[in-house]
PDB file of all heavy atoms in Angstrom:
ATOM      1  N   GLN A  55     -22.533  -0.958 -60.102  1.00  0.00           N
ATOM      2  CA  GLN A  55     -23.324   0.216 -60.578  1.00  0.00           C
ATOM      3  C   GLN A  55     -24.415   0.520 -59.555  1.00  0.00           C
ATOM      4  O   GLN A  55     -24.627   1.709 -59.230  1.00  0.00           O
ATOM      5  CB  GLN A  55     -23.964  -0.053 -61.941  1.00  0.00           C
ATOM      6  CG  GLN A  55     -22.993  -0.186 -63.063  1.00  0.00           C
ATOM      7  CD  GLN A  55     -23.681  -0.660 -64.364  1.00  0.00           C
ATOM      8  OE1 GLN A  55     -24.447  -1.614 -64.310  1.00  0.00           O
ATOM      9  NE2 GLN A  55     -23.369  -0.011 -65.453  1.00  0.00           N
ATOM     10  N   ILE A  56     -25.031  -0.491 -59.045  1.00  0.00           N
ATOM     11  CA  ILE A  56     -26.117  -0.264 -58.027  1.00  0.00           C
ATOM     12  C   ILE A  56     -25.483   0.307 -56.736  1.00  0.00           C
ATOM     13  O   ILE A  56     -26.058   1.251 -56.162  1.00  0.00           O
ATOM     14  CB  ILE A  56     -26.891  -1.612 -57.830  1.00  0.00           C
ATOM     15  CG1 ILE A  56     -27.688  -1.916 -59.064  1.00  0.00           C
ATOM     16  CG2 ILE A  56     -27.793  -1.438 -56.566  1.00  0.00           C
ATOM     17  CD1 ILE A  56     -28.233  -3.311 -59.068  1.00  0.00           C
ATOM     18  N   ARG A  57     -24.381  -0.240 -56.312  1.00  0.00           N
ATOM     19  CA  ARG A  57     -23.676   0.241 -55.128  1.00  0.00           C
ATOM     20  C   ARG A  57     -23.375   1.682 -55.279  1.00  0.00           C
ATOM     21  O   ARG A  57     -23.559   2.535 -54.351  1.00  0.00           O
ATOM     22  CB  ARG A  57     -22.436  -0.518 -54.843  1.00  0.00           C
ATOM     23  CG  ARG A  57     -22.620  -1.789 -53.943  1.00  0.00           C
ATOM     24  CD  ARG A  57     -21.321  -2.307 -53.460  1.00  0.00           C
ATOM     25  NE  ARG A  57     -20.433  -2.799 -54.518  1.00  0.00           N
ATOM     26  CZ  ARG A  57     -20.520  -3.958 -55.135  1.00  0.00           C
ATOM     27  NH1 ARG A  57     -21.470  -4.772 -54.833  1.00  0.00           N
ATOM     28  NH2 ARG A  57     -19.676  -4.284 -56.084  1.00  0.00           N
ATOM     29  N   LYS A  58     -22.844   2.131 -56.431  1.00  0.00           N
ATOM     30  CA  LYS A  58     -22.458   3.453 -56.681  1.00  0.00           C
ATOM     31  C   LYS A  58     -23.713   4.370 -56.636  1.00  0.00           C
ATOM     32  O   LYS A  58     -23.689   5.465 -56.014  1.00  0.00           O
ATOM     33  CB  LYS A  58     -21.781   3.607 -58.014  1.00  0.00           C
ATOM     34  CG  LYS A  58     -21.293   4.975 -58.299  1.00  0.00           C
ATOM     35  CD  LYS A  58     -20.566   5.037 -59.663  1.00  0.00           C
ATOM     36  CE  LYS A  58     -20.144   6.448 -60.009  1.00  0.00           C
ATOM     37  NZ  LYS A  58     -19.537   6.518 -61.359  1.00  0.00           N
ATOM     38  N   ALA A  59     -24.749   3.950 -57.272  1.00  0.00           N
ATOM     39  CA  ALA A  59     -26.062   4.824 -57.313  1.00  0.00           C
ATOM     40  C   ALA A  59     -26.611   4.889 -55.853  1.00  0.00           C
ATOM     41  O   ALA A  59     -27.008   5.949 -55.398  1.00  0.00           O
ATOM     42  CB  ALA A  59     -27.023   4.189 -58.224  1.00  0.00           C
ATOM     43  N   ALA A  60     -26.626   3.751 -55.190  1.00  0.00           N
ATOM     44  CA  ALA A  60     -27.209   3.737 -53.812  1.00  0.00           C
ATOM     45  C   ALA A  60     -26.330   4.665 -52.913  1.00  0.00           C
ATOM     46  O   ALA A  60     -26.886   5.456 -52.065  1.00  0.00           O
ATOM     47  CB  ALA A  60     -27.217   2.339 -53.251  1.00  0.00           C
ATOM     48  N   LYS A  61     -25.032   4.572 -52.993  1.00  0.00           N
ATOM     49  CA  LYS A  61     -24.188   5.387 -52.207  1.00  0.00           C
ATOM     50  C   LYS A  61     -24.414   6.878 -52.445  1.00  0.00           C
ATOM     51  O   LYS A  61     -24.384   7.698 -51.542  1.00  0.00           O
ATOM     52  CB  LYS A  61     -22.678   5.034 -52.470  1.00  0.00           C
ATOM     53  CG  LYS A  61     -21.726   5.827 -51.599  1.00  0.00           C
ATOM     54  CD  LYS A  61     -20.278   5.370 -51.859  1.00  0.00           C
ATOM     55  CE  LYS A  61     -19.369   6.224 -50.958  1.00  0.00           C
ATOM     56  NZ  LYS A  61     -17.994   5.891 -51.272  1.00  0.00           N
ATOM     57  N   ALA A  62     -24.638   7.268 -53.654  1.00  0.00           N
ATOM     58  CA  ALA A  62     -24.909   8.675 -54.026  1.00  0.00           C
ATOM     59  C   ALA A  62     -26.153   9.209 -53.317  1.00  0.00           C
ATOM     60  O   ALA A  62     -26.227  10.424 -53.045  1.00  0.00           O
ATOM     61  CB  ALA A  62     -25.029   8.793 -55.559  1.00  0.00           C
ATOM     62  N   TYR A  63     -27.082   8.334 -53.028  1.00  0.00           N
ATOM     63  CA  TYR A  63     -28.318   8.759 -52.286  1.00  0.00           C
ATOM     64  C   TYR A  63     -28.326   8.367 -50.857  1.00  0.00           C
ATOM     65  O   TYR A  63     -29.328   8.597 -50.152  1.00  0.00           O
ATOM     66  CB  TYR A  63     -29.535   8.220 -53.053  1.00  0.00           C
ATOM     67  CG  TYR A  63     -29.706   8.846 -54.398  1.00  0.00           C
ATOM     68  CD1 TYR A  63     -29.192   8.282 -55.544  1.00  0.00           C
ATOM     69  CD2 TYR A  63     -30.388  10.073 -54.474  1.00  0.00           C
ATOM     70  CE1 TYR A  63     -29.282   8.896 -56.796  1.00  0.00           C
ATOM     71  CE2 TYR A  63     -30.520  10.697 -55.715  1.00  0.00           C
ATOM     72  CZ  TYR A  63     -29.985  10.129 -56.849  1.00  0.00           C
ATOM     73  OH  TYR A  63     -30.115  10.769 -58.031  1.00  0.00           O
ATOM     74  N   GLY A  64     -27.239   7.821 -50.313  1.00  0.00           N
ATOM     75  CA  GLY A  64     -27.251   7.435 -48.937  1.00  0.00           C
ATOM     76  C   GLY A  64     -28.097   6.200 -48.641  1.00  0.00           C
ATOM     77  O   GLY A  64     -28.473   5.999 -47.476  1.00  0.00           O
ATOM     78  N   VAL A  65     -28.371   5.440 -49.657  1.00  0.00           N
ATOM     79  CA  VAL A  65     -29.204   4.217 -49.479  1.00  0.00           C
ATOM     80  C   VAL A  65     -28.357   3.133 -48.933  1.00  0.00           C
ATOM     81  O   VAL A  65     -27.232   2.831 -49.364  1.00  0.00           O
ATOM     82  CB  VAL A  65     -29.802   3.707 -50.873  1.00  0.00           C
ATOM     83  CG1 VAL A  65     -30.507   2.429 -50.685  1.00  0.00           C
ATOM     84  CG2 VAL A  65     -30.712   4.803 -51.428  1.00  0.00           C
ATOM     85  N   VAL A  66     -28.817   2.487 -47.853  1.00  0.00           N
ATOM     86  CA  VAL A  66     -28.137   1.381 -47.247  1.00  0.00           C
ATOM     87  C   VAL A  66     -28.949   0.107 -47.464  1.00  0.00           C
ATOM     88  O   VAL A  66     -30.162   0.084 -47.373  1.00  0.00           O
ATOM     89  CB  VAL A  66     -28.119   1.609 -45.651  1.00  0.00           C
ATOM     90  CG1 VAL A  66     -27.415   0.452 -44.995  1.00  0.00           C
ATOM     91  CG2 VAL A  66     -27.350   2.914 -45.356  1.00  0.00           C
ATOM     92  N   TYR A  67     -28.200  -0.904 -47.899  1.00  0.00           N
ATOM     93  CA  TYR A  67     -28.871  -2.177 -48.147  1.00  0.00           C
ATOM     94  C   TYR A  67     -27.852  -3.362 -47.877  1.00  0.00           C
ATOM     95  O   TYR A  67     -26.658  -3.156 -48.035  1.00  0.00           O
ATOM     96  CB  TYR A  67     -29.507  -2.320 -49.536  1.00  0.00           C
ATOM     97  CG  TYR A  67     -28.448  -2.258 -50.670  1.00  0.00           C
ATOM     98  CD1 TYR A  67     -28.035  -3.431 -51.274  1.00  0.00           C
ATOM     99  CD2 TYR A  67     -27.967  -1.053 -51.146  1.00  0.00           C
ATOM    100  CE1 TYR A  67     -27.076  -3.490 -52.291  1.00  0.00           C
ATOM    101  CE2 TYR A  67     -27.020  -1.042 -52.181  1.00  0.00           C
ATOM    102  CZ  TYR A  67     -26.606  -2.239 -52.735  1.00  0.00           C
ATOM    103  OH  TYR A  67     -25.734  -2.229 -53.778  1.00  0.00           O
ATOM    104  N   GLU A  68     -28.389  -4.511 -47.457  1.00  0.00           N
ATOM    105  CA  GLU A  68     -27.575  -5.638 -47.291  1.00  0.00           C
ATOM    106  C   GLU A  68     -28.340  -6.897 -47.508  1.00  0.00           C
ATOM    107  O   GLU A  68     -29.501  -7.024 -47.119  1.00  0.00           O
ATOM    108  CB  GLU A  68     -26.824  -5.656 -45.931  1.00  0.00           C
ATOM    109  CG  GLU A  68     -27.775  -5.968 -44.766  1.00  0.00           C
ATOM    110  CD  GLU A  68     -27.087  -6.050 -43.460  1.00  0.00           C
ATOM    111  OE1 GLU A  68     -25.904  -6.242 -43.419  1.00  0.00           O
ATOM    112  OE2 GLU A  68     -27.803  -5.957 -42.429  1.00  0.00           O
ATOM    113  N   ARG A  69     -27.690  -7.832 -48.061  1.00  0.00           N
ATOM    114  CA  ARG A  69     -28.298  -9.174 -48.301  1.00  0.00           C
ATOM    115  C   ARG A  69     -28.177  -9.961 -46.980  1.00  0.00           C
ATOM    116  O   ARG A  69     -27.184  -9.989 -46.285  1.00  0.00           O
ATOM    117  CB  ARG A  69     -27.476  -9.896 -49.382  1.00  0.00           C
ATOM    118  CG  ARG A  69     -28.018 -11.202 -49.823  1.00  0.00           C
ATOM    119  CD  ARG A  69     -27.231 -11.667 -51.028  1.00  0.00           C
ATOM    120  NE  ARG A  69     -27.521 -13.015 -51.310  1.00  0.00           N
ATOM    121  CZ  ARG A  69     -27.370 -13.574 -52.504  1.00  0.00           C
ATOM    122  NH1 ARG A  69     -26.882 -12.855 -53.508  1.00  0.00           N
ATOM    123  NH2 ARG A  69     -27.671 -14.813 -52.761  1.00  0.00           N
ATOM    124  N   GLN A  70     -29.364 -10.584 -46.663  1.00  0.00           N
ATOM    125  CA  GLN A  70     -29.434 -11.309 -45.396  1.00  0.00           C
ATOM    126  C   GLN A  70     -29.984 -12.694 -45.747  1.00  0.00           C
ATOM    127  O   GLN A  70     -31.041 -12.875 -46.281  1.00  0.00           O
ATOM    128  CB  GLN A  70     -30.309 -10.634 -44.349  1.00  0.00           C
ATOM    129  CG  GLN A  70     -30.330 -11.308 -43.082  1.00  0.00           C
ATOM    130  CD  GLN A  70     -31.188 -10.589 -42.057  1.00  0.00           C
ATOM    131  OE1 GLN A  70     -32.173  -9.988 -42.382  1.00  0.00           O
ATOM    132  NE2 GLN A  70     -30.809 -10.652 -40.804  1.00  0.00           N
ATOM    133  N   LYS A  71     -29.260 -13.751 -45.296  1.00  0.00           N
ATOM    134  CA  LYS A  71     -29.676 -15.089 -45.504  1.00  0.00           C
ATOM    135  C   LYS A  71     -30.894 -15.404 -44.741  1.00  0.00           C
ATOM    136  O   LYS A  71     -31.087 -15.020 -43.538  1.00  0.00           O
ATOM    137  CB  LYS A  71     -28.553 -16.022 -45.117  1.00  0.00           C
ATOM    138  CG  LYS A  71     -28.765 -17.499 -45.483  1.00  0.00           C
ATOM    139  CD  LYS A  71     -27.493 -18.245 -45.431  1.00  0.00           C
ATOM    140  CE  LYS A  71     -27.660 -19.693 -45.717  1.00  0.00           C
ATOM    141  NZ  LYS A  71     -28.180 -20.000 -47.029  1.00  0.00           N
ATOM    142  N   GLN A  72     -31.882 -16.118 -45.340  1.00  0.00           N
ATOM    143  CA  GLN A  72     -33.061 -16.549 -44.654  1.00  0.00           C
ATOM    144  C   GLN A  72     -32.886 -17.978 -44.209  1.00  0.00           C
ATOM    145  O   GLN A  72     -32.450 -18.844 -45.019  1.00  0.00           O
ATOM    146  CB  GLN A  72     -34.249 -16.515 -45.663  1.00  0.00           C
ATOM    147  CG  GLN A  72     -34.655 -15.114 -46.084  1.00  0.00           C
ATOM    148  CD  GLN A  72     -35.375 -14.353 -44.981  1.00  0.00           C
ATOM    149  OE1 GLN A  72     -34.800 -13.937 -44.004  1.00  0.00           O
ATOM    150  NE2 GLN A  72     -36.649 -14.171 -45.198  1.00  0.00           N
ATOM    151  N   PRO A  73     -33.129 -18.271 -42.971  1.00  0.00           N
ATOM    152  CA  PRO A  73     -32.862 -19.654 -42.443  1.00  0.00           C
ATOM    153  C   PRO A  73     -33.666 -20.733 -43.144  1.00  0.00           C
ATOM    154  O   PRO A  73     -33.158 -21.857 -43.251  1.00  0.00           O
ATOM    155  CB  PRO A  73     -33.184 -19.543 -41.010  1.00  0.00           C
ATOM    156  CG  PRO A  73     -34.010 -18.358 -40.810  1.00  0.00           C
ATOM    157  CD  PRO A  73     -33.661 -17.396 -41.976  1.00  0.00           C
ATOM    158  N   ASN A  74     -34.875 -20.405 -43.597  1.00  0.00           N
ATOM    159  CA  ASN A  74     -35.703 -21.466 -44.233  1.00  0.00           C
ATOM    160  C   ASN A  74     -36.041 -21.214 -45.637  1.00  0.00           C
ATOM    161  O   ASN A  74     -37.080 -21.687 -46.137  1.00  0.00           O
ATOM    162  CB  ASN A  74     -37.049 -21.604 -43.370  1.00  0.00           C
ATOM    163  CG  ASN A  74     -36.804 -22.022 -41.987  1.00  0.00           C
ATOM    164  OD1 ASN A  74     -35.880 -22.835 -41.671  1.00  0.00           O
ATOM    165  ND2 ASN A  74     -37.547 -21.476 -40.996  1.00  0.00           N
ATOM    166  N   GLY A  75     -35.213 -20.487 -46.349  1.00  0.00           N
ATOM    167  CA  GLY A  75     -35.470 -20.171 -47.735  1.00  0.00           C
ATOM    168  C   GLY A  75     -35.171 -21.351 -48.656  1.00  0.00           C
ATOM    169  O   GLY A  75     -34.453 -22.267 -48.324  1.00  0.00           O
ATOM    170  N   ASP A  76     -35.745 -21.229 -49.866  1.00  0.00           N
ATOM    171  CA  ASP A  76     -35.523 -22.278 -50.858  1.00  0.00           C
ATOM    172  C   ASP A  76     -34.107 -22.109 -51.431  1.00  0.00           C
ATOM    173  O   ASP A  76     -33.578 -20.979 -51.353  1.00  0.00           O
ATOM    174  CB  ASP A  76     -36.480 -22.135 -52.019  1.00  0.00           C
ATOM    175  CG  ASP A  76     -37.927 -22.363 -51.541  1.00  0.00           C
ATOM    176  OD1 ASP A  76     -38.093 -23.100 -50.631  1.00  0.00           O
ATOM    177  OD2 ASP A  76     -38.829 -21.784 -52.189  1.00  0.00           O
ATOM    178  N   ALA A  77     -33.495 -23.099 -51.889  1.00  0.00           N
ATOM    179  CA  ALA A  77     -32.188 -23.037 -52.487  1.00  0.00           C
ATOM    180  C   ALA A  77     -32.249 -21.966 -53.640  1.00  0.00           C
ATOM    181  O   ALA A  77     -33.119 -21.971 -54.443  1.00  0.00           O
ATOM    182  CB  ALA A  77     -31.737 -24.362 -53.060  1.00  0.00           C
ATOM    183  N   GLY A  78     -31.285 -21.110 -53.631  1.00  0.00           N
ATOM    184  CA  GLY A  78     -31.192 -20.093 -54.672  1.00  0.00           C
ATOM    185  C   GLY A  78     -32.038 -18.832 -54.384  1.00  0.00           C
ATOM    186  O   GLY A  78     -31.863 -17.812 -54.959  1.00  0.00           O
ATOM    187  N   ASP A  79     -32.960 -19.001 -53.452  1.00  0.00           N
ATOM    188  CA  ASP A  79     -33.830 -17.873 -53.103  1.00  0.00           C
ATOM    189  C   ASP A  79     -33.885 -17.740 -51.545  1.00  0.00           C
ATOM    190  O   ASP A  79     -34.921 -17.488 -50.972  1.00  0.00           O
ATOM    191  CB  ASP A  79     -35.215 -18.041 -53.664  1.00  0.00           C
ATOM    192  CG  ASP A  79     -36.070 -16.801 -53.636  1.00  0.00           C
ATOM    193  OD1 ASP A  79     -35.472 -15.686 -53.539  1.00  0.00           O
ATOM    194  OD2 ASP A  79     -37.323 -16.899 -53.696  1.00  0.00           O
ATOM    195  N   ASP A  80     -32.748 -18.042 -50.980  1.00  0.00           N
ATOM    196  CA  ASP A  80     -32.636 -18.121 -49.526  1.00  0.00           C
ATOM    197  C   ASP A  80     -32.180 -16.867 -48.879  1.00  0.00           C
ATOM    198  O   ASP A  80     -31.535 -16.872 -47.815  1.00  0.00           O
ATOM    199  CB  ASP A  80     -31.756 -19.262 -49.103  1.00  0.00           C
ATOM    200  CG  ASP A  80     -30.293 -19.089 -49.635  1.00  0.00           C
ATOM    201  OD1 ASP A  80     -30.082 -18.212 -50.462  1.00  0.00           O
ATOM    202  OD2 ASP A  80     -29.462 -19.824 -49.135  1.00  0.00           O
ATOM    203  N   TYR A  81     -32.497 -15.732 -49.476  1.00  0.00           N
ATOM    204  CA  TYR A  81     -32.105 -14.445 -48.878  1.00  0.00           C
ATOM    205  C   TYR A  81     -33.139 -13.381 -49.072  1.00  0.00           C
ATOM    206  O   TYR A  81     -34.048 -13.532 -49.917  1.00  0.00           O
ATOM    207  CB  TYR A  81     -30.764 -13.966 -49.506  1.00  0.00           C
ATOM    208  CG  TYR A  81     -30.784 -13.600 -50.948  1.00  0.00           C
ATOM    209  CD1 TYR A  81     -31.045 -12.279 -51.340  1.00  0.00           C
ATOM    210  CD2 TYR A  81     -30.643 -14.543 -51.942  1.00  0.00           C
ATOM    211  CE1 TYR A  81     -31.100 -11.919 -52.673  1.00  0.00           C
ATOM    212  CE2 TYR A  81     -30.702 -14.149 -53.297  1.00  0.00           C
ATOM    213  CZ  TYR A  81     -30.894 -12.900 -53.656  1.00  0.00           C
ATOM    214  OH  TYR A  81     -30.968 -12.537 -54.982  1.00  0.00           O
ATOM    215  N   THR A  82     -32.980 -12.366 -48.306  1.00  0.00           N
ATOM    216  CA  THR A  82     -33.793 -11.155 -48.408  1.00  0.00           C
ATOM    217  C   THR A  82     -32.798 -10.007 -48.494  1.00  0.00           C
ATOM    218  O   THR A  82     -31.649 -10.193 -48.285  1.00  0.00           O
ATOM    219  CB  THR A  82     -34.805 -11.003 -47.339  1.00  0.00           C
ATOM    220  OG1 THR A  82     -35.765  -9.915 -47.669  1.00  0.00           O
ATOM    221  CG2 THR A  82     -34.208 -10.757 -45.965  1.00  0.00           C
ATOM    222  N   ILE A  83     -33.338  -8.838 -48.743  1.00  0.00           N
ATOM    223  CA  ILE A  83     -32.469  -7.658 -48.723  1.00  0.00           C
ATOM    224  C   ILE A  83     -33.071  -6.639 -47.701  1.00  0.00           C
ATOM    225  O   ILE A  83     -34.155  -6.215 -47.842  1.00  0.00           O
ATOM    226  CB  ILE A  83     -32.420  -6.943 -50.086  1.00  0.00           C
ATOM    227  CG1 ILE A  83     -32.101  -7.918 -51.186  1.00  0.00           C
ATOM    228  CG2 ILE A  83     -31.502  -5.742 -50.093  1.00  0.00           C
ATOM    229  CD1 ILE A  83     -30.690  -8.153 -51.543  1.00  0.00           C
ATOM    230  N   ASN A  84     -32.274  -6.368 -46.723  1.00  0.00           N
ATOM    231  CA  ASN A  84     -32.662  -5.262 -45.794  1.00  0.00           C
ATOM    232  C   ASN A  84     -32.168  -3.960 -46.496  1.00  0.00           C
ATOM    233  O   ASN A  84     -31.103  -3.895 -46.914  1.00  0.00           O
ATOM    234  CB  ASN A  84     -31.955  -5.480 -44.449  1.00  0.00           C
ATOM    235  CG  ASN A  84     -32.449  -6.635 -43.668  1.00  0.00           C
ATOM    236  OD1 ASN A  84     -33.588  -7.053 -43.851  1.00  0.00           O
ATOM    237  ND2 ASN A  84     -31.573  -7.238 -42.896  1.00  0.00           N
ATOM    238  N   HIS A  85     -33.109  -2.973 -46.498  1.00  0.00           N
ATOM    239  CA  HIS A  85     -32.756  -1.731 -47.151  1.00  0.00           C
ATOM    240  C   HIS A  85     -33.473  -0.587 -46.590  1.00  0.00           C
ATOM    241  O   HIS A  85     -34.525  -0.670 -45.950  1.00  0.00           O
ATOM    242  CB  HIS A  85     -33.052  -1.836 -48.676  1.00  0.00           C
ATOM    243  CG  HIS A  85     -34.533  -2.042 -48.978  1.00  0.00           C
ATOM    244  ND1 HIS A  85     -35.342  -1.020 -49.176  1.00  0.00           N
ATOM    245  CD2 HIS A  85     -35.302  -3.148 -49.074  1.00  0.00           C
ATOM    246  CE1 HIS A  85     -36.582  -1.431 -49.447  1.00  0.00           C
ATOM    247  NE2 HIS A  85     -36.525  -2.771 -49.349  1.00  0.00           N
ATOM    248  N   SER A  86     -32.870   0.562 -46.776  1.00  0.00           N
ATOM    249  CA  SER A  86     -33.504   1.835 -46.325  1.00  0.00           C
ATOM    250  C   SER A  86     -34.698   2.102 -47.272  1.00  0.00           C
ATOM    251  O   SER A  86     -34.670   1.665 -48.417  1.00  0.00           O
ATOM    252  CB  SER A  86     -32.552   3.002 -46.302  1.00  0.00           C
ATOM    253  OG  SER A  86     -31.826   3.104 -47.454  1.00  0.00           O
ATOM    254  N   ALA A  87     -35.720   2.770 -46.797  1.00  0.00           N
ATOM    255  CA  ALA A  87     -36.936   3.025 -47.536  1.00  0.00           C
ATOM    256  C   ALA A  87     -37.287   4.489 -47.635  1.00  0.00           C
ATOM    257  O   ALA A  87     -38.054   4.985 -46.850  1.00  0.00           O
ATOM    258  CB  ALA A  87     -38.012   2.238 -46.916  1.00  0.00           C
ATOM    259  N   TYR A  88     -36.598   5.150 -48.580  1.00  0.00           N
ATOM    260  CA  TYR A  88     -36.847   6.556 -48.798  1.00  0.00           C
ATOM    261  C   TYR A  88     -37.254   6.821 -50.221  1.00  0.00           C
ATOM    262  O   TYR A  88     -36.988   6.056 -51.082  1.00  0.00           O
ATOM    263  CB  TYR A  88     -35.602   7.436 -48.500  1.00  0.00           C
ATOM    264  CG  TYR A  88     -35.117   7.314 -47.027  1.00  0.00           C
ATOM    265  CD1 TYR A  88     -34.106   6.481 -46.640  1.00  0.00           C
ATOM    266  CD2 TYR A  88     -35.756   8.098 -46.036  1.00  0.00           C
ATOM    267  CE1 TYR A  88     -33.740   6.424 -45.294  1.00  0.00           C
ATOM    268  CE2 TYR A  88     -35.367   8.033 -44.765  1.00  0.00           C
ATOM    269  CZ  TYR A  88     -34.378   7.223 -44.410  1.00  0.00           C
ATOM    270  OH  TYR A  88     -34.006   7.164 -43.067  1.00  0.00           O
ATOM    271  N   LEU A  89     -37.957   7.954 -50.404  1.00  0.00           N
ATOM    272  CA  LEU A  89     -38.363   8.428 -51.702  1.00  0.00           C
ATOM    273  C   LEU A  89     -37.557   9.719 -51.936  1.00  0.00           C
ATOM    274  O   LEU A  89     -37.686  10.690 -51.148  1.00  0.00           O
ATOM    275  CB  LEU A  89     -39.853   8.644 -51.830  1.00  0.00           C
ATOM    276  CG  LEU A  89     -40.362   9.234 -53.114  1.00  0.00           C
ATOM    277  CD1 LEU A  89     -40.166   8.197 -54.269  1.00  0.00           C
ATOM    278  CD2 LEU A  89     -41.811   9.580 -53.044  1.00  0.00           C
ATOM    279  N   TYR A  90     -36.846   9.780 -53.004  1.00  0.00           N
ATOM    280  CA  TYR A  90     -35.974  10.911 -53.375  1.00  0.00           C
ATOM    281  C   TYR A  90     -36.718  11.661 -54.427  1.00  0.00           C
ATOM    282  O   TYR A  90     -37.058  11.144 -55.516  1.00  0.00           O
ATOM    283  CB  TYR A  90     -34.574  10.514 -53.780  1.00  0.00           C
ATOM    284  CG  TYR A  90     -33.880   9.669 -52.764  1.00  0.00           C
ATOM    285  CD1 TYR A  90     -34.073   8.301 -52.701  1.00  0.00           C
ATOM    286  CD2 TYR A  90     -33.132  10.276 -51.732  1.00  0.00           C
ATOM    287  CE1 TYR A  90     -33.479   7.526 -51.734  1.00  0.00           C
ATOM    288  CE2 TYR A  90     -32.544   9.481 -50.717  1.00  0.00           C
ATOM    289  CZ  TYR A  90     -32.745   8.131 -50.779  1.00  0.00           C
ATOM    290  OH  TYR A  90     -32.166   7.353 -49.740  1.00  0.00           O
ATOM    291  N   VAL A  91     -36.854  12.993 -54.225  1.00  0.00           N
ATOM    292  CA  VAL A  91     -37.476  13.861 -55.283  1.00  0.00           C
ATOM    293  C   VAL A  91     -36.354  14.676 -55.944  1.00  0.00           C
ATOM    294  O   VAL A  91     -35.649  15.374 -55.257  1.00  0.00           O
ATOM    295  CB  VAL A  91     -38.525  14.806 -54.622  1.00  0.00           C
ATOM    296  CG1 VAL A  91     -39.164  15.645 -55.723  1.00  0.00           C
ATOM    297  CG2 VAL A  91     -39.547  13.987 -53.865  1.00  0.00           C
ATOM    298  N   ILE A  92     -36.241  14.514 -57.223  1.00  0.00           N
ATOM    299  CA  ILE A  92     -35.205  15.177 -57.986  1.00  0.00           C
ATOM    300  C   ILE A  92     -35.923  16.084 -58.988  1.00  0.00           C
ATOM    301  O   ILE A  92     -36.791  15.605 -59.761  1.00  0.00           O
ATOM    302  CB  ILE A  92     -34.282  14.148 -58.747  1.00  0.00           C
ATOM    303  CG1 ILE A  92     -33.618  13.287 -57.634  1.00  0.00           C
ATOM    304  CG2 ILE A  92     -33.197  14.872 -59.563  1.00  0.00           C
ATOM    305  CD1 ILE A  92     -33.431  11.908 -58.085  1.00  0.00           C
ATOM    306  N   GLY A  93     -35.559  17.383 -58.954  1.00  0.00           N
ATOM    307  CA  GLY A  93     -36.200  18.309 -59.813  1.00  0.00           C
ATOM    308  C   GLY A  93     -35.854  18.200 -61.267  1.00  0.00           C
ATOM    309  O   GLY A  93     -34.971  17.503 -61.673  1.00  0.00           O
TER     310      GLY A  93
END
């Protein structure tokens, strides 16, 4: 559902492993940073 919504707005995101992260929380998300205004 999130992929579909993001695609509709041209949002790009990807999960990226963190080399020194804690187990289970060893990633971040690289993402585009836009604000969409919908009337």
Side-chain angles (χ1 to χ4, degrees):
Q55 293 171 314
I56 293 168
R57 271 192 299 280
K58 183 177 177 185
K61 183 178 179 184
Y63 290 92
V65 173
V66 177
Y67 65 98
E68 72 174 343
R69 186 173 168 155
Q70 182 178 36
K71 189 165 179 57
Q72 295 284 72
N74 297 323
D76 297 332
D79 196 20
D80 62 347
Y81 66 93
T82 189
I83 309 270
N84 293 330
H85 63 91
S86 50
Y88 294 100
L89 176 67
Y90 303 89
V91 182
I92 301 145

